[in-house]
Every structure is written in structure tokens, then in C-alpha cells.
Amino acid sequence: MNIQNKRFFCSWSGGKDSCLALYKAIKEGGRLVALFTMFTEEGVRSRSHGLDKKIIEQQAKVLKINLITASASWNDYEEVFLKELLNMKDKGIEVGVFGDIDLESSKQWVNMICDKACIKSMLPLWQEKREELVKEFIDLGFKAKIVSLKSSVMDKSYLGQILDKKLMNELKDIGVDPCGENGEFHTVVIDGPIFNNPLNLVIKDTVLKDGYWFLDMDIQ
């Protein structure tokens, strides 16, 4: 779709895919109004990547953009998400930008929820080759750190590593999708061409939960 001069929000996980989608929407002439992040019921950690709220807030700060947040369980996730979209629609937001790549069920959900709010959905990464997207992200100068990983497919030692081309090839060699689109790992973006300055994160702890290793981090 043509996003030129249209007011949009970006569904923001804090990771590489939502960041690259945001970058592309800005480059296509969209007018970014806000990032939108869903948190767990307690409102402390992001629902998708388990990031501390302070980190998401710091990303919004260095991007110099407003952050909209909401908290929900999986049971009322859709209801809460839709409520926030309707609020954004009332404020003149026309488009929602999402970082989905090729999972059809995710695309269908995004289209459904946006249709209910009379907001257009835009998926700038849709059906692009996963590996090429990772290369593009790196070549643009973005830096992302692995913040969680599936313990059954990746060793704990990968936590905290920067996703560069060397690591991308290493992941391929051990049979892991370098985009992590199958849930193998998640990232947090710490720097890039749309960041006014990098994030300085310190690792407090590593946590194993539900078969995933997570980095517990704070702002330095």
C-alpha cells in the first residue's frame, strides 16, 4: 500500500523485524505517530520478547517518538489490542505497520484486528526472504542483541551476542533460521540509522522460563 504522508503507528516488539518494518515505512514517506507495545498483565515486561518496560521506553526516547502501551493476558489480548487501535483511530492514525514476514496466521490476525478498527494494515517485510532481511538489517547499520532463545535448539551462550553476518552464518551452520522466525530466538535493537544514540544495556541475570532462556537487562 502507499503510505506516503499517512499517519501510522508501528507495532513494536523492540526487536529487529518491527524495527526494519518501521524503517521501511518511514523511508516510504509515512508519518510515524507512535510505537505500540503490548505488555503482560503486570505491565512490567513486553508480551512478545519479555523486555523490561524501561528498555522499550528508552528505545522510544532515542527514536524521539511517543510510546503507547497496554497490558493484557492472552485471554483478553485481542480485546485490549482492539481498544487501543480504536483509540488511535480516533486520534487520526490511519495505518498500522507490523513486522510479520511469512506466517500466514499472523497476517490474518493483523488484517482482522485492523479491519475492526478501520485502520489499514501494512507489512513491509511480507514474503521477503528471511536471510536477505537479516542481511539488509545489518547492512543498514542496525545493531541487535539476542535477548531470548529456545533452549532446545540454541545454547545459552548465544544470549547477549550481536546479530552480525558472522553469527548469522554460524546459526545457519547449526540449523537455526538466522531470522529466528520459527521462534528460535528474539532480539532487542540497540542502535541504528533512526536511533539518535545507542542504548547502553547491562545484563543483570539470565532466566530459564517455559523452555526459553531470557536476559534480564537494565538501562545503564
Side-chain angles (χ1 to χ4, degrees), residues 100-111:
D100 299 278
I101 298 172
D102 55 23
L103 298 180
E104 188 62 38
S105 59
S106 295
K107 181 186 179 184
Q108 289 176 2
W109 188 87
V110 163
N111 288 341

Side-chain angles (χ1 to χ4, degrees), residues 16-17 19 50 59 61 75 92 94 106 108 121 141 147 150 156 173 194 198 207 217:
K16 61 178 176 52
D17 297 336
C19 187
Q59 286 179 320
K61 184 176 179 180
N75 290 332
E94 305 164 85
S106 295
Q108 289 176 2
S121 58
V147 71
K150 197 172 184 178
K156 178 184 174 184
D173 288 343
I194 55 176
V207 179
M217 298 183 296

Side-chain angles (χ1 to χ4, degrees), residues 24-213:
K24 287 176 176 287
I26 291 171
K27 287 299 178 182
E28 290 181 26
R31 296 166 56 197
L32 175 61
V33 176
L35 305 179
F36 174 40
T37 305
M38 291 289 290
F39 287 84
T40 57
E41 301 95 312
E42 300 81 12
V44 177
R45 296 195 176 275
S46 63
R47 175 57 73 182
S48 56
H49 289 19
L51 292 172
D52 190 294
K53 190 173 185 178
K54 287 182 289 185
I55 295 174
I56 297 289
E57 289 173 338
Q58 186 67 16
Q59 286 179 320
K61 184 176 179 180
V62 299
L63 286 165
K64 293 187 176 179
I65 194 65
N66 183 43
L67 174 66
I68 297 171
T69 65
S71 302
S73 68
W74 286 123
N75 290 332
D76 64 349
Y77 184 92
E78 184 173 312
E79 177 186 347
V80 173
F81 200 102
L82 177 58
K83 180 181 177 182
E84 292 302 324
L85 260 59
L86 290 168
N87 287 338
M88 286 188 261
K89 176 67 176 179
D90 287 342
K91 294 174 183 176
I93 292 178
E94 305 164 85
V95 179
V97 169
F98 298 81
D100 299 278
I101 298 172
D102 55 23
L103 298 180
E104 188 62 38
S105 59
S106 295
K107 181 186 179 184
Q108 289 176 2
W109 188 87
V110 163
N111 288 341
M112 176 274 296
I113 203 75
C114 286
D115 284 347
K116 285 186 177 181
C118 296
I119 287 177
K120 297 288 186 183
S121 58
M122 180 183 181
L123 285 67
L125 315 185
W126 187 249
Q127 292 190 329
E128 297 289 338
K129 293 181 178 179
R130 295 180 181 183
E131 187 175 330
E132 292 305 311
L133 287 172
V134 180
K135 289 178 181 176
E136 180 181 6
F137 179 84
I138 295 167
D139 287 341
L140 284 168
F142 285 106
K143 289 185 180 179
K145 186 188 294 282
I146 293 180
V147 71
S148 69
L149 56 83
K150 197 172 184 178
S151 61
S152 61
V153 296
M154 291 177 66
D155 189 81
K156 178 184 174 184
S157 63
Y158 285 104
L159 278 176
Q161 291 195 32
I162 296 292
L163 185 60
D164 56 18
K165 289 184 179 178
K166 180 175 179 288
L167 179 57
M168 186 182 76
N169 290 327
E170 188 175 328
L171 293 175
K172 286 169 60 181
D173 288 343
I174 64 171
V176 172
D177 174 16
C179 201
E181 188 68 359
N182 301 313
E184 299 96 332
F185 65 91
H186 293 301
T187 60
V188 58
V189 182
I190 58 173
D191 200 8
I194 55 176
F195 281 54
N196 288 281
N197 52 268
L199 270 69
N200 293 315
L201 303 179
V202 290
I203 298 172
K204 296 193 297 182
D205 199 3
T206 55
V207 179
L208 181 63
K209 183 180 180 181
D210 300 327
Y212 277 83
W213 281 105

